[in-house]
Amino acid sequence: MVTRVVDLRSDTVTKPTEAMRAAMASAEVGDDVLGNDPTAFHLEAEMAKIMGKEAALFVPSGTMGNLISVLTHCDIRGSEVILGDKCHIHIYENGGIATIGGVHPRPVKNNDDGTMDIDLIEAAIRDPRREIVYPTTRLICLENTHANSGGRCLSAEYTDRVGEVAKKHGLKLHIDGARIFNASVALGVPVDRLVRAADSVSVCISKGLGAPVGSVIVGSKSFITKARRLRKTLGGGMRQVGILCAAGLVALQDNVGKLENDHKKARTLADGLNQIKGLRVDGPVETNIVYIEIEEGSHTNAGKICKELEDRGILLMRESLSRLRVVFHHQISASDVQYTLSCFQQAVKGVQTENGN
């Protein structure tokens, strides 16, 4: 029987802290759809201030936050958005921008560090003189940190350059900032500086920040006015939502400062894994995400290792037959890291022994 569980599947698996539960229980609430939930207003105002934007809007999820943002900018069906071929919006959000919004994705290759080459972004912008055959480019999307690139951080300078391209061509820039606070901490750059060039940002409070539910969209007042209507259209308008926003306020206050420890624990695990024969950490570990490659000739695969680890209470994501993902959060301890390393060593050794190596 498993007596210890270390859940490294995602930073979305955290449980609300006692401070969050207390804040939720005592939250002052109203009807947010009718525009009078004071705790929702408080969270939105605080996030807008932190991000250096005029206004904000609480939404149930990051997927809805990105969808609303794209649809607000691309409010004519047949619009096109330029985005990375490995980004979350393109791969993991059910193709919602196309199926619901009639927005055409124009993927550009993501580099190993999560960026897209500036010249490739510019080359992907449609010539408006050919609108008789092409969709109309209206938006560029970035993701910071870039999850599929191992939680790599996009610099303020890079984002500024993309913003300059967008302005040059009359386009908007949206940032999927699900883990933007991780990027800010890792780079040592204020979060508002990282998103200065963006017209909108979707910020998740239920990932590294540890709140139980929700994201917050930020942008101009006119953008948020349009976004609020779309939120209602998509079924995201909730009533006494201050109960959830109260936990988000605690997350902003208590958990941003814990992100650096998450990054340190991720690097400690990565260093240990690189000492295990048959395993290799893919790329530098900048934030809280670690991708693990199973080397050829190791006579095992991700499925077998996952099963061995699960039997020992270690939960993680299998990305492919040869690739695993681990994500850290504030409820993983230093002791959990050492336990996980020992379980990896046992799991790999056990599978290799089973195969006669």
Side-chain angles (χ1 to χ4, degrees):
M1 180 181 294
V2 173
T3 58
R4 181 174 187 173
V5 175
V6 181
D7 196 338
L8 296 165
R9 291 173 298 170
S10 178
D11 44 6
T12 61
V13 302
T14 55
K15 303 299 190 296
T17 63
E18 289 304 313
M20 288 179 186
R21 292 181 186 275
M24 293 168 76
S26 62
E28 185 180 359
V29 298
D31 189 321
D32 188 47
V33 175
L34 298 181
N36 64 355
D37 188 301
T39 307
F41 287 162
H42 186 184
L43 174 63
E44 290 164 350
E46 185 66 16
M47 189 67 83
K49 179 181 177 183
I50 291 170
M51 293 289 155
K53 303 300 181 186
E54 290 181 347
L57 180 69
F58 179 83
V59 294
S61 70
T63 294
M64 183 179 283
N66 286 328
L67 178 61
I68 288 173
S69 297
V70 172
L71 268 56
T72 300
H73 292 305
C74 300
D75 55 356
I76 300 174
R77 293 183 69 85
S79 298
E80 187 168 72
V81 55
I82 295 170
L83 72 185
D85 66 340
K86 295 181 180 178
C87 78
H88 199 278
I89 293 174
H90 188 51
I91 299 174
Y92 298 115
E93 297 183 4
N94 298 107
I97 62 172
T99 56
I100 295 174
V103 178
H104 188 263
R106 173 86 152 160
V108 171
K109 181 181 182 297
N110 277 121
N111 298 315
D112 290 343
D113 63 358
T115 63
M116 298 175 280
D117 289 346
I118 299 293
D119 58 343
L120 294 181
I121 293 175
E122 194 151 21
I125 298 170
R126 303 290 188 176
D127 185 343
R129 295 171 297 182
R130 301 293 307 279
E131 65 180 1
I132 190 67
V133 292
Y134 292 150
T136 301
T137 310
R138 286 195 166 86
L139 179 66
I140 302 170
C141 288
L142 299 176
E143 180 181 333
N144 198 11
T145 65
H146 198 275
N148 268 352
S149 298
R152 302 288 294 275
C153 305
L154 274 58
S155 69
E157 293 75 18
Y158 172 78
T159 305
D160 287 348
R161 291 178 64 199
V162 176
E164 289 167 5
V165 170
K167 286 183 179 179
K168 175 183 173 182
H169 294 274
L171 311 179
K172 299 296 184 181
L173 173 62
H174 172 69
I175 296 177
D176 174 0
R179 297 182 177 92
I180 192 69
F181 283 98
N182 291 86
S184 173
V185 169
L187 294 171
V189 175
V191 69
D192 63 319
R193 176 66 188 89
L194 290 179
V195 301
R196 184 183 296 170
D199 296 285
S200 61
V201 188
S202 177
V203 185
C204 189
I205 57 174
S206 64
K207 288 190 169 70
L209 298 188
V213 178
S215 287
V216 182
I217 308 168
V218 298
S220 67
K221 289 179 180 178
S222 61
F223 171 85
I224 293 299
T225 296
K226 292 173 66 176
R228 187 178 297 277
R229 187 178 181 201
L230 268 171
R231 184 186 69 173
K232 176 64 174 172
T233 302
L234 294 169
M238 297 181 284
R239 301 299 177 175
Q240 286 72 40
V241 75
I243 293 173
L244 300 176
C245 293
L249 285 164
V250 174
L252 284 175
Q253 178 180 320
D254 292 356
N255 291 345
V256 174
K258 298 176 182 177
L259 295 176
E260 177 55 32
N261 282 332
D262 296 345
H263 302 171
K264 288 178 180 177
K265 287 177 283 191
R267 290 191 291 270
T268 298
L269 181 75
D271 290 344
L273 290 173
N274 277 328
Q275 303 304 311
I276 300 175
K277 185 178 180 181
L279 300 182
R280 175 178 57 83
V281 171
D282 185 13
V285 176
E286 294 183 359
T287 56
N288 65 326
I289 300 176
V290 180
Y291 278 102
I292 306 154
E293 291 288 345
I294 300 168
E295 296 182 325
E296 289 185 28
S298 59
H299 303 286
T300 186
N301 59 54
K304 290 180 180 179
I305 290 179
C306 267
K307 179 61 170 62
E308 290 279 335
L309 290 168
E310 187 174 343
D311 289 345
R312 294 171 170 84
I314 307 296
L315 307 179
L316 60 161
M317 288 281 197
R318 184 181 72 176
E319 295 286 310
S320 70
L321 278 175
S322 62
R323 188 172 171 88
L324 300 164
R325 189 188 82 160
V326 165
V327 183
F328 281 84
H329 51 82
H330 74 96
Q331 291 175 341
I332 298 297
S333 67
S335 172
D336 290 332
V337 176
Q338 295 307 315
Y339 177 66
T340 300
L341 275 173
S342 69
C343 288
F344 260 106
Q345 291 167 339
Q346 295 170 45
V348 172
K349 182 178 179 181
V351 172
Q352 289 176 341
T353 301
E354 181 183 306
N355 286 294
N357 294 291

